[in-house]
Amino acid sequence: MTETVTAPEETPANEPSWEERYEGPTRDICRRTLVELARRDPRIMCVDSDVGGLETLFADLPGQYVNVGIAEANLIGMAAGMAASGLMPFAHTLSGFAAARACEQVKVDVAGNNLPVRIVATHGGLSAGHYGPTHHAADDLGILRLMPNLTVLVPADTVEAEQALLASVDHPGPVFIRLGRSTTPLVYREPYEYRIGRAVTLAEGEGVTLIATGPHPVVMALRAAGALAAEGIGVRVLNMHTVKPLDEEAVLRAAAETRGIVTVEDHLVVGGLGSAVCEVVAARGGVPVRRIGVPDRFTDRVGGELDLLEHAGVTPENIAAEARSLAGVTT
């Protein structure tokens, strides 16, 4: 069992390797990809809330870049106006600010009018935990997936972040892309068919299903699956990169073909992926679901993302423990 989907392909000597192309944070590759798209399509607008770095990237495309300053509500309202005028705005801010501070504008201006605004939100979940609890965004998915028309994407690594941004261009209606802050491990090591709303099976198994979303949770699920496989427990791992619309078919197959489901997320156990999976299973599935996520409480703890996730109990060890329990294995 490895932490990747497939082995890397050989790369010509004059081209960067797969690892070199996709090294760095997810936000970096999304920004580079957006610049490439903007050069080919004058409709694409980069709308910035002073998150840093974007102005330099768009220096030779001044007509396609607007910095509104630290004014997230204005950011979303302006992007909605651009979309209504036939432009294709990509609005950049932090996830906690998009989901909370600009919640009304996302709801009324963007989702309410089903406008093709792409909200590219960094620092999702606890990835900005070093700034303290004001920057914790462990409730963002719960807030945003309640909005009709809004597609919510959570890439697992830089490869998937690039694919999510590309797929969002022609996707109808508004899209929210939740990114982290720092570099995270690669999950994918070769191209694959990315489809919005379609989960990716990273490991096959008929014992228990692990459904994860986001960089660290997906990697943790793979590590837990590797440990369980060594114990003879077959584990299916699903990367649910689209939280809305959820791949209900994949969830129902897991409910029918395995003994239980464990969800893993960098989000509160209330309202996010775990809640979405429970809704599907409760309606039509009929297997137990265990949720690994951030406890339903505020915390004043300051630290790195992995430190805060461990403090919250989001670890490969806890994932494996829940899976063993569902599989009927006692230790």
Side-chain angles (χ1 to χ4, degrees):
M1 181 70 189
T2 66
E3 294 178 13
T4 61
V5 180
T6 55
E9 296 177 334
E10 292 186 6
T11 304
N14 61 338
E15 295 183 11
S17 68
W18 186 268
E19 288 76 9
E20 289 170 338
R21 172 174 171 77
Y22 290 107
E23 66 180 354
T26 52
R27 59 179 178 172
D28 287 359
I29 196 161
C30 281
R31 292 173 178 182
R32 294 196 302 267
T33 302
L34 183 61
V35 172
E36 294 171 5
L37 292 172
R39 294 188 196 284
R40 300 194 296 267
D41 189 341
R43 298 174 302 158
I44 290 179
M45 297 291 299
C46 175
V47 194
D48 183 10
S49 61
D50 210 22
V51 296
L54 285 165
E55 187 170 4
T56 301
L57 289 173
F58 277 82
D60 61 344
L61 296 170
Q64 292 173 256
Y65 172 83
V66 178
N67 188 348
V68 304
I70 304 175
E72 289 79 12
N74 190 36
L75 170 85
I76 300 301
M78 182 178 291
M82 290 179 178
S85 301
L87 297 173
M88 191 179 297
F90 286 74
H92 294 77
T93 185
L94 275 61
S95 193
F97 299 161
R101 185 175 297 168
C103 180
E104 182 177 5
Q105 284 70 32
V106 175
K107 173 185 173 183
V108 177
D109 297 350
V110 175
N113 290 291
N114 200 23
L115 289 170
V117 173
R118 285 79 179 93
I119 302 171
V120 184
T122 63
H123 299 72
L126 296 175
S127 62
H130 57 292
Y131 289 137
T134 58
H135 285 59
H136 293 177
D139 54 358
D140 51 357
L141 299 179
I143 294 169
L144 294 164
R145 79 178 189 90
L146 294 180
M147 297 188 186
N149 301 323
L150 184 63
T151 295
V152 181
L153 308 178
V154 188
D157 66 1
T158 50
V159 178
E160 202 160 70
E162 179 185 56
Q163 292 301 310
L165 192 89
L166 292 171
S168 75
V169 173
D170 295 321
H171 190 72
V175 178
F176 181 90
I177 304 176
R178 188 211 211 205
L179 306 174
R181 177 184 178 274
S182 302
T183 299
T184 52
L186 281 180
V187 173
Y188 298 98
R189 295 190 179 272
E190 70 173 17
Y192 76 103
E193 184 183 6
Y194 176 91
R195 293 178 60 186
I196 291 175
R198 182 64 59 86
V200 180
T201 302
L202 301 180
E204 296 282 3
E206 298 182 355
V208 177
T209 299
L210 308 180
I211 303 179
T213 192
H216 288 304
V218 169
V219 170
M220 289 181 185
L222 287 168
R223 288 177 177 164
L228 292 164
E231 300 170 14
I233 302 173
V235 181
R236 180 178 306 179
V237 179
L238 299 180
N239 168 22
M240 195 65 73
H241 56 68
T242 305
V243 173
K244 184 178 183 180
L246 196 74
D247 188 345
E248 296 188 5
E249 182 181 343
V251 174
L252 292 172
R253 277 200 308 271
E257 297 170 0
T258 65
R259 299 180 64 176
I261 297 171
V262 180
T263 63
V264 190
E265 59 193 312
D266 180 358
H267 189 275
L268 294 173
V269 291
V270 175
L273 173 69
S275 292
V277 169
C278 284
E279 290 162 11
V280 175
V281 173
R284 291 183 286 168
V287 296
V289 178
R290 306 285 174 82
R291 294 171 293 164
I292 299 288
V294 180
D296 183 22
R297 61 174 181 265
F298 290 109
T299 176
D300 290 334
R301 191 178 182 90
V302 177
E305 185 175 12
L306 283 173
D307 171 66
L308 293 176
L309 287 173
E310 182 177 4
H311 178 71
V314 184
T315 65
E317 293 75 18
N318 286 343
I319 297 166
E322 293 289 6
R324 289 189 195 97
S325 175
L326 289 175
V329 176
T330 58
T331 57

